């Protein structure tokens, strides 16, 4: 019996190395490089700035007694200031509010279709209060905007070199829509270019002669187009972390 047990133990010792050799080594775990985190510029901030641009105006004149008095364009330039705030959410989406005011110098005229007079327009200023929605690809922001607008225009009727009547200091309300693009050079300065369309509808104006008598009540329909560019100086975003890009 003792010999049998010793034989079994000896056989186990001999078989153990052979069995261990038959076992497969575990496959090595591949080393996966960490995925780099891509970050983008954060547009959440407030800003103030200035702009310059071109102004193209269309004026249609219609009198109270003689309806079609003709129309003309008043073209020129403008320059002004703007201020607003933006908030970035959901990755690249950006919403914001903005107010702007511009001093303008645009004039135009046409020969009256009824009388041998010259009808003149002079655009003095233009402003708006809008909301805008856009999407940012890192430092580039593409946006649309829309809201309320107001304008300050002056009108005059001339007979050669003599003033027949005027309706100055007109201020009217309307609406505006626009589209633009903005690029952030860093967290503090960005530049933009945009187009805006303004519609002020028709508005009745009493034209007064120099002696105080009423010349005519004229309805003037007014639309404006503006192309402008400018700079924004941004603040309030220095401590805000960058946005994780989802491109």
């Amino acid at each position: 019996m003792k010999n049998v047990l010793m034989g079994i133990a000896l056989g186990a010792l001999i078989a153990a190395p052979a069995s261990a050799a038959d076992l497969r080594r575990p496959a090595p775990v591949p080393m996966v490089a960490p995925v780099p985190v891509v970050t983008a510029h954060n547009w959440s901030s407030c800003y103030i700035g200035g702009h310059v641009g071109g102004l193209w105006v269309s004026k249609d004149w219609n009198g109270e007694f003689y309806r079609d008095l003709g129309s003309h364009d008043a073209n020129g330039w403008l320059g002004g200031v703007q201020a607003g705030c933006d908030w970035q959410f959901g990755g690249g989406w950006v919403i914001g509010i903005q107010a702007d005011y511009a001093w303008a110098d645009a004039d135009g005229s046409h020969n009256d279709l009824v009388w041998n007079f010259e009808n003149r327009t002079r655009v003095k200023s233009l402003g708006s209060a809008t909301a805008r929605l856009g999407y940012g690809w890192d430092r580039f922001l593409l946006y649309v905007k829309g809201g309320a607008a107001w304008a300050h225009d002056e009108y005059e009727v001339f007979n050669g070199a003599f003033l027949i009547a005027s309706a100055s200091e007109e201020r009217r309300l309307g609406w505006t829509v626009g589209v633009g693009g903005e690029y952030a050079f860093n967290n503090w300065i960005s530049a933009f270019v945009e187009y805006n369309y303004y519609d002020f509808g028709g508005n009745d104006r009493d034209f007064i002669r120099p002696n105080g008598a009423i010349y005519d009540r004229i309805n003037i329909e007014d639309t404006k187009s503006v192309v402008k560019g400018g700079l924004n100086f941004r603040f309030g975003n220095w401590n805000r972390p960058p946005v994780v890009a989802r491109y």
Side-chain angles (χ1 to χ4, degrees), residues 43 94 111 133 163 168 182 247:
W43 286 91
V94 179
N111 292 326
L133 172 66
L163 177 66
S168 60
E182 188 167 0
Y247 313 139

Side-chain angles (χ1 to χ4, degrees), residues 138-163:
D138 195 12
R139 295 186 178 275
F140 177 73
L141 175 66
L142 182 66
Y143 60 88
V144 294
K145 58 186 294 188
W150 57 90
H152 176 197
D153 300 336
E154 295 180 350
Y155 306 106
E156 296 172 326
V157 178
F158 275 83
N159 180 10
F162 299 98
L163 177 66

Side-chain angles (χ1 to χ4, degrees), residues 97-121:
I97 56 174
Q98 184 186 86
D100 62 76
Y101 180 86
W103 295 268
D105 184 9
D107 55 66
S109 64
H110 73 275
N111 292 326
D112 196 298
L113 297 182
V114 177
W115 309 103
N116 188 26
F117 297 152
E118 182 184 10
N119 299 328
R120 296 181 180 179
T121 295

Side-chain angles (χ1 to χ4, degrees), residues 12-225:
L13 291 175
I14 295 174
S19 299
D22 292 338
L23 294 177
R24 293 183 178 179
R25 295 182 178 180
V29 178
M31 299 297 292
V32 179
V35 179
V37 178
V38 180
T39 59
H41 176 75
N42 194 321
W43 286 91
S44 298
S45 59
C46 293
Y47 58 88
I48 57 174
H51 62 268
V52 294
L55 173 65
W56 296 267
V57 181
S58 177
K59 296 284 189 177
D60 295 325
W61 293 47
N62 294 280
E64 186 175 17
F65 301 105
Y66 300 95
R67 296 304 303 169
D68 188 6
L69 302 179
S71 63
H72 64 262
D73 295 333
N75 304 326
W77 61 269
L78 55 77
V81 294
Q82 71 277 343
C85 291
D86 291 322
W87 179 260
Q88 187 162 348
F89 67 99
W93 291 102
V94 179
I95 58 173
I97 56 174
Q98 184 186 86
D100 62 76
Y101 180 86
W103 295 268
D105 184 9
D107 55 66
S109 64
H110 73 275
N111 292 326
D112 196 298
L113 297 182
V114 177
W115 309 103
N116 188 26
F117 297 152
E118 182 184 10
N119 299 328
R120 296 181 180 179
T121 295
R122 182 177 294 107
V123 181
K124 306 295 289 184
S125 62
L126 185 64
S128 68
T130 57
R132 68 179 192 171
L133 172 66
Y135 193 88
W137 289 270
D138 195 12
R139 295 186 178 275
F140 177 73
L141 175 66
L142 182 66
Y143 60 88
V144 294
K145 58 186 294 188
W150 57 90
H152 176 197
D153 300 336
E154 295 180 350
Y155 306 106
E156 296 172 326
V157 178
F158 275 83
N159 180 10
F162 299 98
L163 177 66
I164 299 299
S166 64
S168 60
E169 302 300 326
E170 181 201 29
R171 291 175 172 84
R172 64 166 73 184
L173 297 176
W175 55 268
T176 180
V177 293
V179 60
E182 188 167 0
Y183 181 81
F185 298 103
N186 49 45
N187 287 343
W188 306 280
I189 301 177
S190 61
F192 69 93
V193 176
E194 66 180 40
Y195 166 79
N196 296 280
Y197 173 81
Y198 299 81
D199 194 325
F200 295 94
N203 191 26
D204 292 331
R205 299 295 301 169
D206 287 333
F207 279 66
I208 309 299
R209 296 180 183 273
N211 62 7
I214 294 179
Y215 165 74
D216 195 1
R217 173 168 290 180
I218 300 177
N219 182 280
I220 301 177
E221 296 183 3
D222 178 14
T223 59
K224 294 179 170 69
S225 292

